[in-house]
């Protein structure tokens, strides 16, 4: 720049120290041994100019010479098929379908290797449903490619996020492992998207901008002309249907890796061996827990508590109470003593005798709390170390990691857990899984209930058993003849899928039909009720569209706001998004009432 108007010794020293180079203001003040005021004065006078320099984070390049782990024949065949698909180029989708423990990660890492090796600019995105699972996968990616991938999820600090965002946009961050929002990163040349655990409900974003990340990954693959791999031990029925009809390639891994065997699964018929009054654990399960404890092994008591809605059934004959004209089950609302249907809005007083078999006082709401089961386990086995793993007790990923490590190290004898523990953890000393309420998921007004129950229980029971001692799983149920229970017992997923797809086709539910939900909420019940009626009357009349509701949402009061919901069912020939937009355009919610539309809902609360 120019010479300073008033040269002083300090100012001259600054200019000499700086010379023709560039330094940060604080470093320059230190080097020239002057105060920051001197430098500020020179900047204000225009002698020195400040410029913002952003340091660039460097991402190590993946080592493509590094050989992968040896694959078994079934893995090698799947890896070759994926490499062939990538070599064809352009948009393709493959479903990588293999039992728990069959080594799907190794297979898709080989596909990632092929994609990166084929083009020096290619980028790969691996999507996972839970932050807790990203650490394990990042470790495996780093081991395979000798370089850490970019990491993207809500727990990442802003400077790191910025570095990954810029690295992806520049193209030198070539592998990203992340949660669903990583789909929106500005990839320069995306060649492969992997959606791991593709069946997982966490891929659905429910608030704000509503989307299903698995479906969006397929859409982005199409836009980018990239390959997409969906991986799961229990694929969603939508993906299975696409694989069966040939829209997706279907790669099946049959063998479990190494010597691990799938656990034996048996059903406990609660009509024959019920637990004691006010208890939840049946005698056969208690006995099995005692044996496991005596052998120094671990038990997992699993509660199927996703979206808790206590179903009402008869202890004597197993009959479940349903609403008239639908097979939607009734749920007990304790405070009003009424049974309510969350699909149609029907409600009735709780009857004194079972309408099916006439037994008196035999109607119970099933659905114990985690705390109740924990108390019971402590009372039965006072010497055992009991811990609880549920989304209510786990506040963050660190806490979850601590508990998982304690379980792996054998510091826990009995773990009472909800679906949070059923995912991808490997507990070597766990040999018994007891599912306390296998029925709960089956139909609480939720279309995917049976599918989710099957997936969860298959994942949970898949946690049992290790190399030398096979595990076992016991499922407590009032409906041992239900297709889900029979398929689980026989470990016959195809039979379950077939039964469930037939049922869905008859009912016109996804993947054969389409659904949308409308959730209305507001502080004033009367105003909400009135607007729900107005909205119902404004629904456009269209061939192939059925509307259920308005009904109280199962969680009818959230943060002081009442909630009502409609469920819209349409055939595949209807453009559901356009229909919902047309309906939405006909009504104007008053100020305090919020209206949310969810196409293809996952949560029915």
């Amino acid at each position: 720049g120019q010479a300073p108007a008033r040269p002083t010794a300090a100012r001259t020293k600054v200019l000499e120290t700086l010379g023709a180079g560039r330094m940060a203001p604080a470093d320059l003040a230190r080097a020239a041994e002057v105060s920051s005021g001197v430098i500020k004065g020179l900047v204000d006078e225009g002698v020195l100019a400040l410029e913002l320099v952003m340091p660039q984070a460097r991402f190590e390049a993946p080592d493509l010479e590094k050989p992968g782990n040896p694959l078994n024949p079934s893995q090698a065949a799947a890896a070759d098929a994926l490499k062939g698909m990538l070599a064809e180029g352009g948009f393709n989708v493959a479903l990588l379908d293999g039992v728990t423990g069959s080594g799907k990660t190794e297979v898709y890492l080989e596909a990632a290797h092929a994609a990166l090796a084929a083009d020096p600019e290619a980028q790969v995105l691996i999507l996972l449903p839970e932050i807790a699972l990203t650490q394990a996968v990042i470790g495996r990616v780093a081991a395979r490619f000798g370089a850490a991938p970019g990491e993207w999820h809500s727990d990442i600090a802003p400077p790191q996020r910025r570095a990954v965002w810029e690295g992806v946009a520049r193209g030198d961050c070539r592998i990203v492992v992340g949660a669903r929002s990583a789909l929106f990163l500005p990839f320069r040349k995306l060649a492969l998207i992997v959606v791991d655990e593709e069946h997982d409900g966490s891929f659905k974003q429910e608030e704000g901008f509503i989307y299903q990340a698995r479906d969006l990954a397929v859409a982005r693959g199409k836009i980018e002309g990239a390959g997409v791999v969906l991986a799961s031990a229990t694929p969603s029925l939508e993906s299975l249907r696409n694989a069966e009809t040939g829209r997706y390639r279907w790669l099946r891994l049959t063998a479990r890796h190494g010597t691990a065997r799938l656990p034996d699964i048996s059903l406990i018929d609660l009509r024959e061996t019920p637990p004691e009054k006010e208890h939840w654990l049946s005698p056969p399960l208690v006995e099995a827990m005692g044996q496991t404890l005596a052998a120094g092994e671990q038990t997992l008591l699993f509660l199927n508590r996703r979206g808790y809605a206590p179903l009402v059934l008869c202890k004597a004959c197993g009959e479940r109470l349903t609403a008239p004209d639908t097979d939607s089950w009734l749920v007990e609302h304790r405070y009003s003593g009424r049974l309510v249907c969350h699909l149609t809005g029907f409600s009735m007083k709780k009857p004194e005798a079972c309408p099916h078999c006439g037994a008196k006082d035999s109607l119970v709401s099933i659905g114990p709390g985690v705390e109740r089961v924990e108390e019971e386990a402590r009372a039965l086995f006072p010497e055992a170390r009991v811990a609880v793993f549920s989304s209510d007790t786990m506040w963050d990923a660190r806490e979850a990691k601590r508990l998982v490590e304690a379980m792996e190290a054998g510091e826990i004898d009995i773990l009472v857990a909800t679906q949070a523990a059923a995912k991808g953890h490997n507990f070597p000393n766990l040999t018994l899984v007891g599912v306390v309420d296998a029925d709960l998921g089956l139909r609480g007004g939720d279309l995917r209930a049976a599918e989710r129950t099957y997936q969860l229980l298959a994942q949970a029971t898949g946690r049992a058993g290790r190399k030398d001692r096979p595990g076992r799983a016991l499922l407590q149920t009032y409906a041992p003849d239900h297709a889900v229970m029979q398929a689980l017992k026989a470990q016959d997923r195809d039979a379950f899928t077939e039964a469930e797809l037939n049922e869905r086709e008859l009912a016109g539910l996804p993947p054969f039909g389409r659904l949308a939900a409308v959730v209305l909420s507001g502080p004033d019940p009367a105003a909400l009720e009135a607007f729900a009626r107005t909205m119902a009357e404004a629904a456009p009349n269209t061939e192939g569209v059925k509307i259920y509701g308005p009904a109280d949402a199962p969680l009818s009061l959230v943060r002081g706001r009442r909630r009502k919901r409609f469920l819209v069912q349409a055939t595949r020939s209807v453009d559901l998004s356009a229909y919902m937009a047309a309906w939405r355009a006909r009504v104007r919610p008053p100020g305090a009432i919020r209206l949310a539309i969810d196409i293809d809902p996952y949560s029915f609360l």
Side-chain angles (χ1 to χ4, degrees):
Q2 64 214 50
R6 292 196 343 281
T8 61
R11 289 180 156 200
T12 313
K13 181 135 192 234
V14 168
L15 296 178
E16 281 170 1
T17 307
L18 186 61
R22 298 195 302 185
M23 280 172 96
D27 297 343
L28 179 55
R30 256 197 309 278
E33 298 170 340
V34 300
S35 73
S36 56
V38 177
I39 296 193
K40 185 177 180 307
L42 287 168
V43 171
D44 291 347
E45 226 175 273
V47 179
L48 297 180
L50 267 180
E51 71 183 70
L52 188 62
V53 181
M54 289 302 297
Q56 281 197 4
R58 306 304 306 161
F59 287 91
E60 290 170 71
D63 173 4
L64 300 176
E65 301 300 309
K66 204 172 181 254
N69 291 338
L71 303 180
N72 65 29
S74 153
Q75 287 175 307
D80 290 343
L82 289 178
K83 288 177 191 168
M85 172 178 104
L86 289 167
E88 280 173 34
F91 167 64
N92 273 306
V93 185
L95 175 62
L96 180 59
D97 168 1
V99 294
T100 46
S102 57
K104 293 179 286 295
T105 313
E106 294 300 332
V107 175
Y108 69 64
L109 288 180
E110 288 313 301
H113 181 272
L116 296 169
D119 177 349
E121 292 186 347
Q123 292 169 299
V124 171
L125 168 62
I126 300 174
L127 285 184
L128 298 158
E130 305 264 329
I131 299 177
L133 294 177
T134 48
Q135 298 314 316
V137 172
I138 283 172
R140 300 199 43 191
V141 171
R144 174 67 184 88
F145 294 105
E151 187 178 348
W152 184 269
H153 51 71
S154 57
D155 263 8
I156 293 277
Q160 244 178 311
R161 276 175 168 253
R162 178 177 189 132
V164 172
W165 177 276
E166 290 176 349
V168 164
R170 277 197 311 272
D172 62 347
C173 176
R174 297 190 61 199
I175 310 176
V176 176
V177 174
R180 56 189 180 214
S181 57
L183 266 177
F184 302 103
L185 286 170
F187 289 96
R188 275 183 68 156
K189 197 163 187 186
L190 194 51
L192 172 68
I193 305 175
V194 176
V195 184
D196 202 354
E197 306 285 351
E198 66 89 35
H199 65 277
D200 197 294
S202 319
F203 279 125
K204 174 82 183 194
Q205 158 109 359
E206 315 234 83
E207 287 96 45
F209 174 56
I210 296 175
Y211 65 97
Q212 163 45 295
R214 175 198 63 219
D215 300 346
L216 215 54
V218 172
R220 177 145 196 190
K222 190 166 177 153
I223 294 165
E224 305 268 354
V228 181
V229 175
L230 308 177
S232 171
T234 50
S236 61
L237 291 184
E238 285 84 349
S239 300
L240 276 174
R241 172 90 183 136
N242 281 331
E244 279 173 7
T245 52
R247 284 183 62 183
Y248 295 172
R249 301 170 188 222
W250 196 358
L251 309 175
R252 301 191 74 161
L253 295 175
T254 44
R256 267 194 117 167
H257 209 61
T259 54
R261 294 216 307 268
L262 283 167
D264 298 322
I265 297 182
S266 29
L267 305 178
I268 297 173
D269 186 341
L270 291 178
R271 294 171 306 189
E272 288 176 9
T273 53
E276 295 169 37
K277 201 167 165 46
E278 301 299 315
H279 284 64
W280 296 103
L281 304 176
S282 63
L285 179 54
V286 172
E287 189 185 330
M289 287 168 70
Q291 292 163 357
T292 307
L293 195 58
E297 293 163 1
Q298 294 169 309
T299 298
L300 170 69
L301 290 179
F302 183 75
L303 284 117
N304 193 3
R305 300 226 343 149
R306 177 72 185 262
Y308 170 57
L311 307 178
V312 180
L313 55 78
C314 169
K315 282 191 299 199
C317 69
E319 173 73 11
R320 291 178 180 67
L321 300 192
T322 58
D325 308 328
T326 73
D327 59 1
S328 168
W329 292 346
L330 296 176
V331 168
E332 179 174 19
H333 280 231
R334 295 252 167 88
Y335 54 87
S336 62
R338 295 184 77 77
L339 308 183
V340 181
C341 165
H342 290 304
L343 179 66
T344 59
F346 169 84
S347 82
M348 62 184 263
K349 222 171 109 39
K350 183 175 174 179
E352 295 188 350
C354 168
H356 187 67
C357 72
K360 274 205 176 323
D361 295 328
S362 68
L363 296 178
V364 289
S365 295
I366 60 166
V370 180
E371 306 73 32
R372 283 284 306 109
V373 173
E374 179 199 7
E375 268 168 42
E376 199 171 320
R378 285 185 194 281
L380 287 164
F381 303 104
E383 72 288 2
R385 296 162 298 175
V386 181
V388 172
F389 190 137
S390 82
S391 44
D392 311 331
T393 56
M394 291 293 124
W395 298 112
D396 58 14
R398 277 192 303 281
E399 188 128 345
K401 200 171 156 194
R402 259 207 308 281
L403 194 72
V404 168
E405 283 166 358
M407 187 72 183
E408 282 170 356
E411 293 161 16
I412 297 170
D413 298 314
I414 299 172
L415 183 62
V416 180
T418 59
Q419 66 277 1
K423 306 240 172 80
H425 305 297
N426 186 11
F427 302 133
N429 200 31
L430 174 67
T431 57
L432 174 66
V433 171
V435 181
V436 179
D437 48 2
D439 300 335
L440 226 197
L442 285 179
R443 247 294 194 314
D446 178 346
L447 124 92
R448 289 189 183 78
E451 174 187 0
R452 201 182 280 138
T453 303
Y454 185 86
Q455 288 164 343
L456 257 176
L457 299 187
Q459 297 264 355
T461 52
R463 297 288 139 246
R466 51 175 191 178
K467 293 182 177 150
D468 48 355
R469 259 177 284 190
R472 54 182 174 152
L474 300 177
L475 277 60
Q476 298 194 142
T477 170
Y478 282 102
D481 341 321
H482 192 289
V484 175
M485 297 302 156
Q486 287 299 325
L488 274 165
K489 182 180 175 195
Q491 303 213 15
D492 184 348
R493 191 192 80 198
D494 297 348
F496 165 71
T497 307
E498 196 181 336
E500 183 66 4
L501 279 171
N502 286 342
E503 210 168 292
R504 296 245 194 126
E505 191 165 14
L506 285 172
L509 293 170
F512 302 98
R514 304 198 56 203
L515 292 179
V518 180
V519 178
L520 306 175
S521 67
D524 172 11
L528 184 65
E529 184 72 49
F531 178 66
R533 274 202 299 276
T534 309
M535 180 129 188
E537 283 156 17
N541 252 339
T542 304
E543 189 67 32
V545 176
K546 273 199 251 170
I547 297 178
Y548 296 104
D552 278 332
L555 296 177
S556 57
L557 189 63
V558 175
R559 299 193 197 102
R561 296 175 71 83
R562 300 246 159 232
R563 299 166 81 233
K564 291 248 174 216
R565 50 179 299 143
F566 291 93
L567 190 64
V568 181
Q569 183 182 356
T571 57
R572 293 230 49 104
S573 57
V574 173
D575 180 342
L576 190 56
S577 302
Y579 176 87
M580 297 309 289
W583 186 11
R584 173 76 184 81
R586 293 180 171 197
V587 291
R588 175 164 291 156
I593 289 179
R594 280 193 235 142
L595 186 164
I597 291 177
D598 182 358
I599 304 275
D600 193 23
Y602 266 59
S603 149
F604 290 81
L605 299 176

